[in-house]
């Protein structure tokens, strides 16, 4: 599901409040994001209890704009519950799995900040935007990313899409630069990953330069063939 469609569904659900419900989970003490609020939103006609993450500590009754919510494709699954007590137990277990994932991803992303500054040779900023200009190969888990302006590079925490009933979602750290992106395992060494990515990005840049030179040469040869003595094909 793309972000625009998810935002549209959320707006529709908020209009028809009688057919939907939302539960908020606050995650505090994060080294990078400080405080996050997870919003589990369920609606009868959707068939899923969708997960969103927003900055700050949002309390009960707080209004949250759709543009402030990051859709995380790790939804609650309470279908196996036989009664209310089992549903509460499943909710507690799955919410805890997501909370642990957020804490782990935020902590690791914060650890990446210093190595990224050293290798990029510039100050790294934290982009807290819900939307990024970069297209990433996996959904983001946190509404935050590290940005190295000098290299036009970002580092973000991403996750795999799967129900929380299957446990903590698979997570990783993605490095992205223009049209190059690579996902690394969450517990991997940041310096090794960054060095590997810079090699991959440099190789990609060389290939692009070679391709552009070849295209330019091709056009030049075509223009030469298009002179007065060039025979048109019938």
């Amino acid at each position: 599901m793309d972000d625009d469609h998810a935002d549209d569904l959320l707006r529709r659900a908020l209009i028809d409040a009688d057919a939907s419900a939302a539960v908020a989970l606050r995650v505090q003490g994060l080294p990078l994001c400080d405080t996050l609020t997870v919003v589990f939103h369920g609606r009868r006609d959707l068939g899923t209890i969708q997960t969103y993450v927003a900055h700050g500590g949002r309390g009960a009754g707080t209004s949250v704009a759709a543009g402030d919510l990051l859709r995380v494709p790790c939804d609650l699954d309470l279908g196996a519950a036989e009664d209310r007590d089992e549903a509460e137990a499943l909710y507690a277990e799955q919410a805890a799995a997501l909370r642990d994932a957020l804490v782990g991803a935020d902590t690791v992303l914060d650890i990446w900040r210093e190595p990224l500054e050293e290798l990029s040779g510039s100050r790294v900023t934290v982009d807290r935007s819900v939307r990024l200009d970069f297209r990433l190969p996996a959904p983001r888990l946190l509404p935050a990313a590290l940005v190295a302006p000098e290299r036009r590079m970002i580092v973000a925490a991403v996750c795999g899409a799967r129900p929380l009933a299957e446990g903590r979602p698979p997570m990783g750290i993605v490095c992205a630069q223009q049209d190059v992106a690579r996902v690394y395992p969450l517990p991997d060494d940041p310096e090794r990953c960054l060095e590997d990515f810079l090699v991959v990005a440099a190789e990609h840049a060389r290939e692009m330069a070679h391709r552009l030179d070849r295209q330019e040469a091709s056009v030049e040869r075509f223009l030469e063939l298009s002179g007065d003595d060039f025979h048109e094909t019938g």
Side-chain angles (χ1 to χ4, degrees):
M1 180 179 297
D2 57 67
D3 292 338
D4 292 337
H5 185 48
D7 290 347
D8 180 61
L9 289 175
L10 180 59
R11 284 191 289 269
R12 287 165 45 203
L14 293 177
I15 292 174
D16 188 11
D18 292 337
S20 64
V23 176
L25 169 68
R26 189 177 301 172
V27 184
Q28 298 176 302
L30 300 174
L32 194 69
C33 293
D34 188 24
T35 301
L36 294 173
T37 296
V38 179
V39 178
F40 296 112
H41 187 271
R43 180 172 167 169
R44 288 191 179 93
D45 61 347
L46 294 181
T48 58
I49 307 170
Q50 298 180 338
T51 303
Y52 299 86
V53 179
H55 285 288
R58 315 296 180 113
T62 302
S63 176
V64 185
D68 295 333
L69 294 168
L70 174 69
R71 173 74 168 104
V72 177
C74 303
D75 299 332
L76 289 175
D77 182 0
L78 309 181
E82 296 291 338
D83 53 32
R84 181 188 179 91
D85 289 341
E86 288 190 9
E88 289 182 355
L90 287 176
Y91 167 77
E93 179 181 342
Q94 295 177 31
L98 182 62
R99 179 198 61 212
D100 292 345
L102 292 171
V103 172
D106 186 277
T107 301
V108 171
L109 195 60
D110 185 58
I111 292 174
W112 275 63
R113 180 157 38 176
E114 184 175 345
L116 182 57
E117 286 185 341
E118 292 179 355
L119 289 178
S120 65
S122 63
R123 179 177 176 80
V124 170
T125 61
V126 180
D127 188 335
R128 299 176 182 271
S129 304
V130 171
R131 299 178 184 275
L132 294 176
D133 293 334
F134 286 80
R135 183 178 294 274
L136 302 180
R140 281 199 298 158
L141 182 61
L142 295 170
L146 303 178
V147 180
E150 295 294 330
R151 290 187 177 269
R152 298 181 181 180
M153 175 180 169
I154 70 164
V155 175
V158 295
C159 66
R162 77 177 192 184
L164 288 170
E166 299 180 16
R168 187 185 303 184
M171 300 179 291
I173 296 292
V174 62
C175 297
Q177 186 183 61
Q178 295 178 337
D179 55 347
V180 182
R182 177 167 286 196
V183 179
Y184 297 94
L186 200 69
D188 213 336
D189 177 58
E191 292 184 2
R192 188 201 70 78
C193 296
L194 288 167
E195 290 173 354
D196 174 78
F197 178 75
L198 292 178
V199 170
V200 171
E203 180 61 27
H204 176 78
R206 285 192 293 269
E207 291 178 358
M208 286 298 298
H210 175 71
R211 186 181 307 171
L212 291 174
D213 289 342
R214 188 179 182 87
Q215 289 175 348
E216 184 178 352
S218 175
V219 172
E220 288 295 330
R221 295 297 174 264
F222 178 76
L223 294 176
E224 291 175 2
L225 290 176
S226 301
D228 296 336
D229 57 345
F230 182 68
H231 298 287
E232 294 184 1
T233 57

